[in-house]
């Protein structure tokens, strides 16, 4: 089986390529991965890109490339920017894949298609009506709709995976900042955050994607994925601090006060991420694929700090 992987230089894509190996994997993207002897094709993921050469003799496409979610997007028209790559570029790749005889396309989407937050004890489900709130989530939701329509038209199998925040060795952005705080063990006023959030380790996400490559029940499905273990921001920081070899030192300031101070400082978006709830129910994923996350949450956190990763 020959696989075409997009986004192999990204956090998720690079972990996937390491798992798949280079023998039966071809890479499509803007930069060549560090692995030697990889079959590489340069291309942007844009509506007018020609992917025909990269798609020759391919059985499965794993599409993890995307215009990433940007917290401080300074584009004058962010929706158009996201849509050009995440929607139109994706659908162009999918149409050309179907024409080339590709049997299955696995699309790495985002839980932002469901929405930005949940109430505690009321998680997102795979069959919820999409409710994206930002241009990134909207572009992913539109791509999903187009892919499912294309599957009906062409017979090419489509699998959609919606992860929440992905963490692991080499992670960047907000989770990397939390790891740095844990390593420094600063006395942060985050000792009484009583939210609940679902996360997924890179190992568990990669394992699910690989499972979906040839699982007969994956076709046509939308799968939510997580570590199947929800945790508060306070407990997450404690786990990270312990994994960094330190004793947690968090100040238990009431969550309402933390929110109020953040709003006064113009950091409402930050406090929403720290104090907000975002839970996923992955029962459908586990039952459909007979799959469970192979790596526990505690082990996933520990692996973030292993120097040999």
């Amino acid at each position: 089986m020959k696989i075409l992987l997009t986004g192999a230089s990204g956090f998720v894509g690079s972990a996937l390529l390491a798992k798949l190996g280079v023998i039966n994997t071809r890479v499509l993207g803007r930069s060549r991965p560090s692995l030697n002897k990889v079959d590489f094709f340069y291309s942007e993921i844009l509506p007018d890109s020609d992917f025909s050469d990269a798609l020759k003799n391919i059985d499965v496409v794993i599409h993890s490339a995307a215009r990433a979610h940007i917290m401080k997007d300074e584009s004058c028209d962010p929706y158009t920017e996201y849509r050009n790559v995440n929607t139109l570029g994706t659908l162009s790749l999918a149409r050309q894949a179907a024409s080339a005889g590709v049997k299955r396309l696995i699309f790495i989407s985002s839980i932002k298609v469901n929405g930005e937050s949940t109430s505690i004890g009321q998680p997102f489900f795979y069959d919820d009506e999409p409710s994206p709130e930002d241009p990134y989530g909207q572009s992913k939701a539109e791509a999903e709709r187009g892919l499912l329509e294309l599957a009906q038209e062409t017979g090419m199998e489509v699998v959609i995976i919606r992860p929440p925040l992905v963490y692991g060795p080499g992670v960047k952005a907000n989770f990397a900042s939390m790891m740095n705080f844990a390593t420094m063990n600063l006395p942060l006023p985050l000792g009484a955050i009583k939210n609940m959030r679902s996360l997924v380790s890179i190992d568990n996400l990669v394992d699910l994607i690989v499972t979906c490559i040839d699982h007969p029940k994956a076709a046509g499905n939308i799968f939510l994925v997580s570590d199947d273990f929800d945790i508060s921001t306070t407990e997450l920081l404690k786990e990270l601090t312990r994994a960094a070899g330190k004793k947690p030192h968090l100040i238990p300031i009431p969550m309402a006060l933390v929110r109020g101070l953040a709003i006064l400082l113009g950091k409402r978006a930050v406090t929403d991420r720290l104090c907000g709830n975002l839970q996923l129910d992955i029962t459908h994923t586990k039952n459909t694929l007979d799959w469970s996350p192979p790596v526990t949450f505690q082990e996933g956190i520990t692996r973030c700090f292993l120097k040999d990763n």
Side-chain angles (χ1 to χ4, degrees):
M1 180 180 292
K2 190 73 173 180
I3 296 169
L4 177 67
L5 172 64
T6 73
S9 59
F11 179 53
V12 173
S14 60
L16 261 171
L17 182 58
K19 180 74 172 181
L20 295 170
V22 300
I23 296 176
N24 293 309
T25 307
R26 183 178 295 162
V27 170
L28 174 73
R30 294 183 299 179
S31 57
R32 178 182 288 274
S34 58
L35 289 179
N36 293 327
K37 298 182 180 179
V38 65
D39 187 9
F40 173 73
F41 283 78
Y42 174 85
S43 180
E44 301 273 358
I45 307 295
L46 295 173
D48 57 354
S49 297
D50 183 355
F51 308 111
S52 57
D53 287 342
L55 287 166
K56 288 179 180 177
N57 303 315
I58 292 295
D59 299 297
V60 176
V61 172
I62 303 177
H63 184 36
S64 71
R67 185 176 194 268
H69 180 240
I70 303 170
M71 294 309 302
K72 294 182 179 180
D73 196 333
E74 297 179 354
S75 169
C76 60
D77 187 3
Y79 176 66
T80 297
E81 296 290 336
Y82 282 115
R83 187 172 185 270
N84 202 37
V85 176
N86 298 348
T87 305
L88 301 180
T90 293
L91 295 179
S92 177
L93 173 64
R95 281 190 292 270
Q96 293 181 51
S99 296
V102 171
K103 299 179 179 66
R104 178 173 293 189
L105 184 146
I106 301 172
F107 179 54
I108 312 305
S109 186
S110 169
I111 197 58
K112 282 179 168 288
V113 170
N114 287 67
E116 293 291 329
S117 63
T118 62
S119 299
I120 290 181
Q122 298 180 28
F124 285 134
F125 292 87
Y126 79 101
D127 57 353
D128 287 341
E129 187 69 24
S131 186
E133 297 180 21
D134 67 3
Y136 174 76
Q138 291 162 4
S139 68
K140 288 286 193 176
E142 190 175 353
E144 287 189 12
R145 289 195 298 271
L147 288 172
L148 293 173
E149 291 171 1
L150 186 66
Q152 291 292 324
E153 296 170 8
T154 65
M156 182 178 69
E157 298 172 348
V158 166
V159 182
I160 294 168
I161 298 175
R162 296 179 189 162
L165 187 152
V166 186
Y167 68 91
V171 69
K172 298 179 180 179
N174 293 330
F175 201 90
S177 297
M178 295 183 74
M179 289 174 61
N180 289 333
F181 288 141
T183 301
M184 293 184 288
N185 200 17
L186 299 173
L188 300 173
L190 301 173
I193 308 299
K194 302 184 186 300
N195 61 343
M196 294 297 287
R197 298 191 73 87
S198 300
L199 311 172
V200 64
S201 78
I202 187 66
D203 298 291
N204 287 334
L205 177 57
V206 165
D207 190 80
L208 178 65
I209 295 170
V210 171
T211 298
C212 289
I213 289 173
D214 58 3
H215 197 294
K217 293 185 178 180
N221 262 299
I222 296 171
F223 296 118
L224 306 192
V225 59
S226 75
D227 290 336
D228 207 19
F229 180 88
D230 296 346
I231 191 168
S232 69
T233 298
T234 294
E235 291 303 317
L236 174 58
L237 282 167
K238 288 180 179 178
E239 289 287 346
L240 285 168
T241 304
R242 294 187 190 101
K246 308 292 180 61
K247 183 178 179 180
H249 182 47
L250 299 175
I251 303 170
I253 294 178
M255 192 162 67
L257 182 57
V258 173
R259 283 185 180 275
L261 289 172
I263 291 172
L264 286 175
L265 294 171
K267 301 292 184 180
R268 182 164 189 163
V270 175
T271 192
D272 285 345
R273 294 194 298 276
L274 286 172
C275 302
N277 305 300
L278 182 64
Q279 295 177 272
L280 285 63
D281 186 300
I282 66 168
T283 302
H284 168 256
T285 302
K286 293 191 296 182
N287 290 346
T288 303
L289 302 174
D290 192 23
W291 178 87
S292 293
V295 175
T296 66
F297 169 78
Q298 287 75 15
E299 177 62 22
I301 293 297
T302 299
R303 291 183 181 186
C304 289
F305 293 92
L306 295 180
K307 293 182 179 180
D308 58 350
N309 275 295

